[in-house]
Amino acid sequence: METGSTETAGDTATEPVWTGLPPGLLRMRRLLLVVWLGLLTVGVGLLLGLLAGVVWAAFALLPLALLVWGWHMLGRNWLSWRYAERADDLLISRGVLFREETVVPYGRMQLVEVTSGPVERHFGLASVQLHTAAAATDACIPGLDPAEAERLRDRLTELGEARSAGL
């Protein structure tokens, strides 16, 4: 039994330092959910109420139920996203039901982009997109503060140039 506890203590010493996503991403996604499903609920309710009768308008509760379920699932998804900068690579972990962990070696990165669409800019968010030679290992970290996204881009670019694998 003692051997197991020693191994566990050794494992935690090498554990990466994980960083979660800021709450602004969760707020943005939940607002978009409320807007789209709220409009769908009102539209379905009005359309069915006018064309088929008041009883059929109760089907408008289906998008409303989807909104409640989606609210919870967005929170779980947001909590599952995290990233860690290690000495030789970047780890990105995500997923609730199916956990996915992506390891991107600094020396294999070809391009690091910071992108921000109109909705993201409105909420003060940006995404970091990592491109490698293998399309399967391209990775993205969504919903970062723009200053953190630029810091991460600059750091990853610097480490990528220092550890360039020279394909």
Side-chain angles (χ1 to χ4, degrees):
M1 287 246 175
E2 238 176 273
T3 307
S5 63
T6 306
E7 288 174 3
T8 305
D11 290 344
T12 56
T14 60
E15 192 68 26
V17 178
W18 292 99
T19 305
L21 298 181
L25 178 66
L26 181 60
R27 280 192 298 273
M28 178 190 77
R29 288 181 174 173
R30 282 183 170 169
L31 179 65
L32 290 173
L33 178 77
V34 168
V35 166
W36 288 111
L37 287 179
L39 289 173
L40 184 62
T41 299
V42 170
V44 167
L46 286 174
L47 188 64
L48 287 176
L50 293 173
L51 296 178
V54 176
V55 175
W56 287 97
F59 278 104
L61 296 177
L62 292 176
L64 194 58
L66 188 61
L67 189 145
V68 171
W69 178 76
W71 186 276
H72 174 70
M73 293 309 293
L74 282 174
R76 289 186 63 193
N77 180 269
W78 173 77
L79 283 173
S80 76
W81 275 87
R82 58 190 186 157
Y83 66 96
E85 299 173 61
R86 296 194 306 183
D88 295 322
D89 51 31
L90 177 73
L91 297 175
I92 302 170
S93 179
R94 65 188 172 280
V96 177
L97 186 58
F98 296 99
R99 199 92 175 110
E100 184 176 330
E101 192 166 293
T102 305
V103 180
V104 184
Y106 297 134
R108 296 291 181 176
M109 283 190 267
Q110 293 184 332
L111 176 67
V112 181
E113 292 180 300
V114 174
T115 60
S116 185
V119 176
E120 285 180 310
R121 277 194 309 272
H122 178 75
F123 283 90
L125 301 172
S127 296
V128 174
Q129 179 74 41
L130 308 165
H131 299 279
T132 62
T137 58
D138 285 359
C140 180
I141 305 173
L144 296 174
D145 178 65
E148 170 64 10
E150 290 175 12
R151 182 206 65 81
L152 190 59
R153 178 201 58 207
D154 293 343
R155 174 151 169 74
L156 294 176
T157 302
E158 177 184 312
L159 289 169
E161 288 173 357
R163 291 176 174 81
S164 180
L167 301 175

